[in-house]
Amino acid sequence: MATLQDLGVAAAINIISAFIFLLVFAFLKLQPANARVYYPKWYLKGVRQGSSRGDERGSLLRFVNLNYKSYLHFLDWMRDALRMPEGELIAHAGLDSVVYLRIYLLGLKVFVPLMLLGFLVLVPVNVTDSNIQTGKIFGTDIDKISLTNIREKSPRLWAHVVMTYVFTAWTCFMLFTEYKTVARMRFQFLAAEARRPDQFTVLVRQVPLDPDEPISTHIDHFFRVNHPDYYLCNQVIYNANKLAKLVKKREGLQNWLDYYQLQFQRKNTERPMTKTGLWGLWGQKVDAIQYYTDGINQISKEATVERERVLNDDSSKLPVAFVSFRSRWGAAVCAQTQQTRDPTVWLTEWAPEPRDVYWRNLSVPYLQLTMRKLFITGAVFLLIFFYIIPVTFVQSLANLEGIEKKLTFLRPIIEAKFIKSFLQGFLPGLALKLFLHFLPKLLMFMSKIEGHLALSQLEVSTSAKYYYFMVVNVFFASVIAGAAFEQLKTFFQQSPSQIPVILAGSIPQKATFFITYIMVDGWASIAADIMRIKPLIVYHLKNMFLVKTDKDRENAMSPGSAGFDTVFPQLELYFLLGTVYSIITPFILPFIIVYLAFAYVVYRHQVINVYDPEYESAAAFWPHIHNRIIVSLLVEQITLFGVFAGKRAAASTPLLIGLPIMTIVFHYYCKNRFEPAFRKYPLEEAMSKDIVDRATHPNWNIKTYLQNSYMHPVFKDSEEEMD
Amino acid sequence: MATLQDLGVAAAINIISAFIFLLVFAFLKLQPANARVYYPKWYLKGVRQGSSRGDERGSLLRFVNLNYKSYLHFLDWMRDALRMPEGELIAHAGLDSVVYLRIYLLGLKVFVPLMLLGFLVLVPVNVTDSNIQTGKIFGTDIDKISLTNIREKSPRLWAHVVMTYVFTAWTCFMLFTEYKTVARMRFQFLAAEARRPDQFTVLVRQVPLDPDEPISTHIDHFFRVNHPDYYLCNQVIYNANKLAKLVKKREGLQNWLDYYQLQFQRKNTERPMTKTGLWGLWGQKVDAIQYYTDGINQISKEATVERERVLNDDSSKLPVAFVSFRSRWGAAVCAQTQQTRDPTVWLTEWAPEPRDVYWRNLSVPYLQLTMRKLFITGAVFLLIFFYIIPVTFVQSLANLEGIEKKLTFLRPIIEAKFIKSFLQGFLPGLALKLFLHFLPKLLMFMSKIEGHLALSQLEVSTSAKYYYFMVVNVFFASVIAGAAFEQLKTFFQQSPSQIPVILAGSIPQKATFFITYIMVDGWASIAADIMRIKPLIVYHLKNMFLVKTDKDRENAMSPGSAGFDTVFPQLELYFLLGTVYSIITPFILPFIIVYLAFAYVVYRHQVINVYDPEYESAAAFWPHIHNRIIVSLLVEQITLFGVFAGKRAAASTPLLIGLPIMTIVFHYYCKNRFEPAFRKYPLEEAMSKDIVDRATHPNWNIKTYLQNSYMHPVFKDSEEEMD
């Protein structure tokens, strides 16, 4: 167990390393050559322009910033990041990003008062008692200022009961106002938005096939009859997954062609050669430019044939369509109602915005969805509780002796003393590190199999899976100490009344561990995040080997997005830690607060200057965030039950029963009050937007506007190419 | 434990008593004087007419049936009951009644094949093993033909595993086809129905108050803007609860007046006198006819004043309205969509049909509903698990010594030996009997407090509460043996993995108890039901003291309804017993089948000849029935886990895990596939009915038709009176 001093040292190390990261970042971002890495958003907006490569005009200044003054203000980006007002930020980066940043603010709003109260009320109460000093139990400095130091049956516990109610009430109050604000922001955002195809469009699934008429006509007839005054047109969806693959393959070849052409252009002496085998490593040697040009032509031909086939073959039409209406009111009605007796056909839901559609999954048969969901749920369950088994297996394979035996030619290298000891320390962890690195991608892959139709849904679904993984394998695994599947056994074989006791037994002892975790995983990782090491390297590599035109350079930027699928779970885990420890060990709160404040500044900077979100869901993810904070409250309350029972506080323990009831009632209240705002589009809103639209653009031709709005991007690409 | 012989005797007693009840019924129903008790439905339909009291025409034949031939066919009613085809029955008694009868048929369809398979496969397998014969465990004759007789680790258990899958699959298949049929019947029924106000009407709750305009105008404006093409009119609801009370009080006085006028008419000598105090037992003596006439006049005046106040005072208008639309399509759209940003105002839902509205609860503020629901949930929980405490308390008060001390004048009576022993045996049970008798009324009262707006919802909600009560206090209380709150303790302190073991330990032993229960509670109670003792007595009493005109006699009939609130839970309990024991002790099945078949005939007779349903919900209750049978399957499967684990069948037990997964998947499939049919009105259906309507009645004036369709019955009554 760590003393306060140990923690202080750890904090100092982490703060210093974070500071070094920030210095490096400040230096890197001031170099003009890196501008497209650190300010891509402004290039995409067209505010910044021009090439940052100086080969045409040749000047050192285009690469390196020699103005020493600018280095003096190396922390100004923080001030700049905080300066942009929220309204402007919504216009600049969209509502999703702004609401995402508000989660950090919410954390501060919740935890700062909790910390103040904790240090003003609970710490003095704890520190003046003497459970540890009297030697009844063993404890560290941190335990002395936490609930552990309260003696059994002490009347001081009343302070904790009162504070628990105050904390819960404050958290709920903050959650409530935040939910209300986000719901209001969402409606304002939707109301203020420009005209967009998805406002008029409904996604219809499970169109029943009619042997007598083509699918498009069938849809036409159905909606003409059942929505006579509002129906406008429909866009049938083609199964273009094969075509998309071809186009993607062509893009890959095009990259190689560009690379060799650039090489040839620069050296100007001999034509570059390549090998026809895998990754250009094996096989016959051929002229590279010729080889890739041929390949591209070949695939282009295939793509053209496939494109014709898809567009003309009836069997490639999916029983899915985007159906558009004359007014937003008509679309809102269709999306919210049931069309026929059989609730498994003619299913209507709001269409995601065109960018947000995940086209591949439109071809998933609807009736498979339940089975897919079930299968993935089972797989995620296994992954969460038993992932450690394959990892351990790989670790056991990856020992040095095994590798030496199989790959004998490596023996001289491995036997070198220094390398051997390094590998022996490094290899066992490698499998786990690799697994954890690829975990979000694996979970995203699983979510894709589940069959979600929009990228926004995919990210939310992945974030849920990742959250469960972290709660079980970071939180409970540290608390209960043991592999996840052993926890499962513990929980299943204990009576429900024992669970709070188990939690109470170990949670207070793990406070120092989690404080260290917050510093290493939280503080340091944010500081590393802002440096954008990977995009920096990738951009410069691309710039070196692939970029020929300014448009190529535009494409070489990879602004990325906030990555809600991994960012939300991490944040939610910190909320869980903060809530669970707020009463037991308030000393953890300042560390979380530092994390939240620091992350808020850093990610606000990234949102303003870097990220380019792939879609805009108007904060549709908020209910998930809210629900998980509610769960954190419940975990806290169950733990406190156990702690109080352990302190034999017979008088005060029953009072705690009010907390989960209060929390659950609050949850349902919020659900009823606010969740519909994120799921439905009220008719009044639709109607008022329609009325304004009709008044301002009486002659607007909606039909041409919507004609090709929902076209598979692969067709758009090939159309552009043909132009 | 009972032997087969004991059970035979019990069965014989129950069959004989049921037969006697049927004989008495056959005799009673043939007497013309009882016709309005046993055939009220036909009087209400106008098929039977005329008075059955002979005082004007004076003939014994009007009272007693002297035709001996008719007594010979005393069981013909069974044939007659089964004769009416289903289609006709729907037209005669409504869809609710027909689907209710189908539950019994469903039970037969499920359990008859299960019984055959059980007796052909499982019983031979069980009876040829020798767990009991070898004296390893103690067991009765019934245990010898049940799973108990299988030895540990016996390979014979494979037969039971296979049969469990077969039984579950068969039950699910039957549930599926039944759900499908009922959903289809519901749609056909709705499509075939005549025009009804509720097809065009939506109930709007939480109308926000506007200080500038009256509520009706406010509603008008809102819907004119947001449903411009379909909105027709609205009917604001008045808080007429006080008026309704006055009207009810007047009816009570009218009854007394009728009674005294009849007395005076018959005796013709002296005017009857009454006392002004409670129940006419205390107080001043006055002329009865004068007294009640004055009372009625007084209350009529009050009612008129109240009526004026309600209709003219704005504060008696509730923020609730029935809003009608020009077409069914418009109403279906409004009912299924969200109207405004704030999901707690302008709430729309389908209006119940006018008869089905529970007017009192329309005045319950919407925001109280959650609190009410929570409060009632808590109360029901306490009632289910702790009802035995107050009952025991009353029992302890009601001992003879206590009564003697307080009511000393009763001492001589109580001390008489015979009476004393009778009372000592009788009193302790009395409190419990009274409690159980009033339980459904208490639960209905609780459901009313919950704030449901329709009688159909009230009955479904009450039936759920009653079902939980029976499952805990009949099923689990018998199985685990102990008061309900002790079970709670058992379940809470055991680990989840122990629950199947506990169930498995006692369920097989309780088979004989439940067989007796089925005979006493099931067989005998149905036979008693058909005699309609209470309505018979009440009718003749009313006939004697209150009936003056034929219209009075019409009112004196109390056909009643099937009483879904108490009938469903009983049926569902039998489904639970049948499913749970189908594998363990198939011997229970014949008893359930006899019950179901007998009940089917009896209640079909009652539905045809007696019941007059208060409302028609088009089988809206079906999902509840379906869900509870699913729960029965799950209880069965959990129990089997324990039984197999107890038999140490290590190879076959894991195979059982597939059952609950299969069942839950099936449940969700059915929920998605069929439940919307009971909750929403598809636009296609609405549109096609609209189109037919427009074609057949192009000039129909919908506005006058809907004008006063949703008027509080109390206004209708007083209007009739004024005519």
Side-chain angles (χ1 to χ4, degrees), chain B residues 449-597:
Chain B
I449 292 179
E450 268 183 319
H452 299 284
L453 292 187
L455 298 176
S456 51
Q457 290 165 13
L458 280 173
E459 288 208 339
V460 164
S461 164
T462 307
S463 91
K465 296 182 177 68
Y466 198 29
Y467 175 72
Y468 298 133
F469 186 89
M470 299 241 284
V471 166
V472 171
N473 288 300
V474 175
F475 183 71
F476 283 113
S478 313
V479 165
I480 304 184
F485 57 92
E486 284 165 19
Q487 296 169 37
L488 204 63
K489 224 169 135 189
T490 313
F491 276 111
F492 196 64
Q493 292 191 337
Q494 294 294 333
S495 79
S497 56
Q498 282 302 302
I499 289 172
V501 177
I502 297 172
L503 290 180
S506 48
I507 281 187
Q509 296 171 20
K510 293 291 169 182
T512 45
F513 168 78
F514 283 119
I515 290 173
T516 322
Y517 180 84
I518 290 164
M519 290 192 291
V520 176
D521 177 73
W523 300 6
S525 75
I526 305 167
D529 235 34
I530 201 175
M531 282 171 57
R532 293 174 57 73
I533 301 285
K534 208 181 131 193
L536 182 72
I537 296 170
V538 169
Y539 171 72
H540 284 296
L541 282 178
K542 277 191 179 171
N543 227 352
M544 221 173 285
F545 295 118
L546 297 177
V547 169
K548 286 186 298 187
T549 64
D550 265 12
K551 191 156 174 276
D552 289 344
R553 191 165 298 118
E554 197 98 330
N555 290 336
M557 297 192 306
S558 54
S561 59
F564 293 155
D565 49 342
T566 51
V567 154
F568 286 164
Q570 201 195 19
L571 248 170
E572 287 155 1
L573 181 70
Y574 287 177
F575 269 99
L576 178 67
L577 291 177
T579 359
V580 167
Y581 280 103
S582 59
I583 293 287
I584 298 170
T585 313
F587 190 67
I588 209 171
L589 291 179
F591 294 88
I592 290 176
I593 289 169
V594 168
Y595 164 79
L596 290 171

Side-chain angles (χ1 to χ4, degrees), chain B residues 362-377:
Chain B
L362 285 171
S363 64
V364 174
Y366 179 79
L367 294 177
Q368 277 185 16
L369 289 182
T370 320
M371 287 318 292
R372 280 172 179 245
K373 179 132 192 70
L374 194 79
F375 170 73
I376 291 295
T377 308

Side-chain angles (χ1 to χ4, degrees), chain B residues 343-499:
Chain B
T344 60
V345 298
W346 296 106
L347 295 169
T348 54
E349 57 186 289
W350 270 112
E353 60 159 343
R355 293 185 293 168
D356 194 12
V357 176
Y358 183 68
W359 295 91
R360 264 185 80 89
N361 275 350
L362 285 171
S363 64
V364 174
Y366 179 79
L367 294 177
Q368 277 185 16
L369 289 182
T370 320
M371 287 318 292
R372 280 172 179 245
K373 179 132 192 70
L374 194 79
F375 170 73
I376 291 295
T377 308
V380 169
F381 180 85
L382 291 179
L383 182 70
I384 289 176
F385 286 96
F386 300 100
Y387 84 96
I388 204 72
I389 295 177
V391 168
T392 319
F393 180 69
V394 173
Q395 282 174 339
S396 74
L397 283 186
N399 59 21
L400 285 182
E401 285 71 29
I403 292 175
E404 269 184 79
K405 262 184 205 161
K406 269 166 213 148
L407 305 170
T408 41
F409 61 90
L410 285 177
R411 185 171 298 180
I413 306 171
I414 291 173
E415 283 298 311
K417 188 127 195 181
F418 170 74
I419 292 176
K420 187 169 183 179
S421 59
F422 174 76
L423 283 180
Q424 268 172 339
F426 179 71
L427 268 183
L430 187 66
L432 184 60
K433 282 260 181 254
L434 279 176
F435 171 78
L436 289 179
H437 180 75
F438 287 110
L439 180 64
K441 288 185 181 60
L442 177 65
L443 294 174
M444 176 58 93
F445 176 69
M446 287 171 139
S447 301
K448 283 179 178 169
I449 292 179
E450 268 183 319
H452 299 284
L453 292 187
L455 298 176
S456 51
Q457 290 165 13
L458 280 173
E459 288 208 339
V460 164
S461 164
T462 307
S463 91
K465 296 182 177 68
Y466 198 29
Y467 175 72
Y468 298 133
F469 186 89
M470 299 241 284
V471 166
V472 171
N473 288 300
V474 175
F475 183 71
F476 283 113
S478 313
V479 165
I480 304 184
F485 57 92
E486 284 165 19
Q487 296 169 37
L488 204 63
K489 224 169 135 189
T490 313
F491 276 111
F492 196 64
Q493 292 191 337
Q494 294 294 333
S495 79
S497 56
Q498 282 302 302
I499 289 172

Side-chain angles (χ1 to χ4, degrees), chain A residues 197-480:
Chain A
D198 51 299
Q199 295 164 346
F200 298 89
T201 307
V202 161
L203 175 62
V204 181
R205 291 212 262 181
Q206 287 289 96
V207 177
L209 293 177
D210 188 317
D212 299 332
E213 49 187 6
I215 199 157
S216 174
T217 326
H218 188 40
I219 295 171
D220 220 55
H221 286 170
F222 182 83
F223 283 97
R224 261 186 218 296
V225 170
N226 293 305
H227 295 265
D229 305 331
Y230 303 100
Y231 171 72
L232 184 71
C233 63
N234 73 74
Q235 302 170 55
V236 172
I237 293 160
Y238 300 95
N239 187 348
N241 290 348
K242 201 184 154 198
L243 184 57
K245 256 185 209 161
L246 287 174
V247 169
K248 209 176 167 191
K249 206 170 160 191
R250 184 171 60 192
E251 271 168 26
L253 294 182
Q254 185 69 45
N255 273 345
W256 280 113
L257 181 61
D258 290 350
Y259 167 73
Y260 285 114
Q261 277 179 336
L262 255 184
Q263 263 202 344
F264 181 58
Q265 207 178 320
R266 286 187 200 155
K267 293 187 185 166
N268 232 335
T269 51
E270 44 172 340
R271 289 181 74 82
M273 306 295 275
T274 188
K275 289 173 182 169
T276 56
L278 188 72
W279 293 338
L281 293 175
W282 277 276
Q284 208 193 333
K285 245 189 167 179
V286 290
D287 182 302
I289 293 176
Q290 189 59 38
Y291 175 68
Y292 285 109
T293 314
D294 290 351
I296 289 171
N297 287 338
Q298 172 67 19
I299 288 185
S300 290
K301 264 181 216 157
E302 275 179 50
T304 316
V305 173
E306 171 70 13
R307 191 161 179 272
E308 290 306 305
R309 194 193 64 75
V310 165
L311 288 175
N312 298 319
D313 184 4
D314 257 7
S315 72
S316 67
K317 284 181 185 165
L318 297 170
V320 183
F322 288 100
V323 172
S324 298
F325 291 81
R326 277 177 215 288
S327 65
R328 293 172 185 86
W329 194 90
V333 161
C334 184
Q336 289 179 55
T337 49
Q338 190 181 335
Q339 308 305 314
T340 66
R341 281 187 187 189
D342 185 347
T344 60
V345 297
W346 295 108
L347 295 168
T348 54
E349 58 186 287
W350 270 112
E353 59 159 343
R355 293 186 292 169
D356 193 13
V357 177
Y358 184 66
W359 295 91
R360 265 184 78 88
N361 276 350
L362 284 172
S363 65
V364 173
Y366 179 79
L367 293 177
Q368 277 185 16
L369 289 182
T370 320
M371 287 316 293
R372 281 171 178 244
K373 179 133 191 71
L374 194 77
F375 170 73
I376 291 296
T377 308
V380 168
F381 180 85
L382 291 179
L383 182 71
I384 288 176
F385 285 97
F386 300 100
Y387 84 96
I388 204 72
I389 295 177
V391 169
T392 319
F393 180 70
V394 173
Q395 283 175 341
S396 75
L397 283 188
N399 59 20
L400 284 183
E401 286 72 28
I403 292 175
E404 270 184 80
K405 264 184 203 161
K406 269 167 214 148
L407 306 170
T408 40
F409 61 91
L410 284 177
R411 185 172 296 180
I413 305 171
I414 290 173
E415 284 297 312
K417 186 126 197 183
F418 170 74
I419 293 177
K420 187 169 183 178
S421 59
F422 174 76
L423 283 180
Q424 269 173 339
F426 180 70
L427 267 182
L430 187 66
L432 184 60
K433 282 260 182 254
L434 277 177
F435 171 79
L436 289 179
H437 181 75
F438 287 110
L439 180 65
K441 288 185 181 60
L442 177 65
L443 295 175
M444 176 57 93
F445 176 70
M446 287 172 137
S447 301
K448 282 178 180 170
I449 292 179
E450 268 184 319
H452 300 285
L453 293 186
L455 298 175
S456 51
Q457 290 164 12
L458 280 173
E459 288 208 338
V460 164
S461 164
T462 307
S463 90
K465 296 181 178 67
Y466 198 30
Y467 175 72
Y468 298 133
F469 187 88
M470 299 242 284
V471 166
V472 171
N473 288 301
V474 174
F475 182 71
F476 283 113
S478 313
V479 166
I480 304 182

Side-chain angles (χ1 to χ4, degrees), chain A residues 226-230 329 336-343 492-496 673 676 682-685 687, chain B residues 226-230 329 336-343 492-496 673 676 682-685 687:
Chain A
N226 293 305
H227 295 265
D229 305 331
Y230 303 100
W329 194 90
Q336 289 179 55
T337 49
Q338 190 181 335
Q339 308 305 314
T340 66
R341 281 187 187 189
D342 185 347
F492 196 65
Q493 291 190 336
Q494 294 294 332
S495 76
R673 179 83 176 72
L683 297 188
E684 194 184 29
E685 300 286 310
M687 186 55 91
Chain B
N226 292 305
H227 295 265
D229 304 332
Y230 303 99
W329 194 91
Q336 289 178 53
T337 49
Q338 190 181 333
Q339 308 305 313
T340 65
R341 282 187 187 191
D342 184 347
F492 196 64
Q493 292 191 337
Q494 294 294 333
S495 79
R673 180 84 176 72
L683 296 187
E684 195 184 29
E685 300 286 310
M687 185 56 89

